[in-house]
Amino acid sequence: GIALGVAALLVVISVMSGFQEDIRQKILGMTAHIQLYPFERGLPRGEAVAEAVERVPGVVAAAPFIVSQVMLTTPAAVTGAVVYGIDPARHRRVTNLASILEKDSRPLSALGQGDIILGRELADKLGVVPGSRVTIVSPLGQLSPVGMVPRARQFQVVGTFRAGNYEYDSGLAFITLADAQRFFDMDGKVTGVEARVTDIYASDR
């Protein structure tokens, strides 16, 4: 009885520990360990700030980013999403996006002007595949004589990713940092800087 009890306890602890580790990896894989935001809208000199952050002991890599909520539209569907503007070369060192791209996707390093990467569930909702086109619509548009006119621009889908987390797979999209700066009228600024550290439990220090 004691042997069976101990064996059952070990099995349960092992399963729960493995499950916890799997969930942690799925969440942290797509999310930077640290995100730095300025008090005002837009952080100037994002590249210089990222380089300064990388010099902090314990920081593995840092990258500037832009993030905004938008609407994605196709002839078949309309849905809301969160779009990240990223520097592919830097971002691949901060998250695991490059390693979870699905088959037929363009490598993250080849993400270029006018390209967009979608989560698998998001692509299914929009009814698109690599090679299709989607329109990004931002409510933060331009002021005109008839009022606020939303910004809209078409992008070509060059890849999809599957993070294993429905919130990420159904609501995230990625474009280049330069495209995001132009589309959201950031004038060379970024939303903030994200970083990966060697020990997430020491990220506050």
Side-chain angles (χ1 to χ4, degrees), residues 20-99:
Q20 183 180 22
E21 182 64 23
D22 182 60
I23 293 296
R24 182 186 295 117
Q25 290 300 323
K26 286 180 178 178
I27 294 175
L28 295 180
M30 285 294 291
T31 306
H33 296 161
I34 297 173
Q35 289 187 329
L36 306 175
Y37 294 91
F39 286 108
E40 66 280 356
R41 180 179 182 269
L43 174 70
R45 301 183 301 108
E47 188 72 22
V49 174
E51 290 175 358
V53 171
E54 284 185 337
R55 291 195 291 270
V56 175
V59 174
V60 176
F65 71 95
I66 290 175
V67 61
S68 183
Q69 291 185 322
V70 299
M71 295 292 292
L72 296 181
T73 71
T74 65
V78 178
T79 186
V82 174
V83 167
Y84 273 84
I86 61 170
D87 177 344
R90 283 188 169 275
H91 190 80
R92 65 184 295 118
R93 299 171 55 213
V94 175
T95 74
N96 68 349
L97 176 62
S99 64

Side-chain angles (χ1 to χ4, degrees), residues 189-202:
K189 297 181 179 180
V190 297
T191 301
V193 170
E194 53 189 3
R196 176 172 287 272
V197 297
T198 52
D199 180 8
I200 188 173
Y201 298 107

Side-chain angles (χ1 to χ4, degrees), residues 68-202:
S68 183
Q69 291 185 322
V70 299
M71 295 292 292
L72 296 181
T73 71
T74 65
V78 178
T79 186
V82 174
V83 167
Y84 273 84
I86 61 170
D87 177 344
R90 283 188 169 275
H91 190 80
R92 65 184 295 118
R93 299 171 55 213
V94 175
T95 74
N96 68 349
L97 176 62
S99 64
I100 59 173
L101 292 175
E102 294 190 307
K103 187 180 178 182
D104 299 329
S105 297
R106 188 182 298 175
L108 183 62
S109 58
L111 184 69
Q113 182 176 345
D115 296 338
I116 188 169
I117 296 173
L118 305 175
R120 164 45 56 194
E121 300 293 336
L122 182 57
D124 289 344
K125 283 195 289 186
L126 293 170
V128 296
V129 296
S132 303
R133 302 192 72 83
V134 300
T135 300
I136 295 182
V137 181
S138 171
L140 302 175
Q142 297 172 320
L143 194 60
S144 73
V146 296
M148 188 67 74
V149 177
R151 279 196 187 88
R153 180 183 167 187
Q154 276 199 342
F155 286 79
Q156 182 176 9
V157 179
V158 296
T160 56
F161 66 86
R162 191 184 295 275
N165 182 307
Y166 182 78
E167 295 297 322
Y168 296 154
D169 291 341
S170 66
L172 290 185
F174 295 87
I175 60 178
T176 66
L177 190 65
D179 274 342
Q181 287 174 329
R182 284 190 294 268
F183 183 73
F184 297 115
D185 195 22
M186 295 292 285
D187 192 25
K189 297 181 179 180
V190 297
T191 301
V193 170
E194 53 189 3
R196 176 172 287 272
V197 297
T198 52
D199 180 8
I200 188 173
Y201 298 107

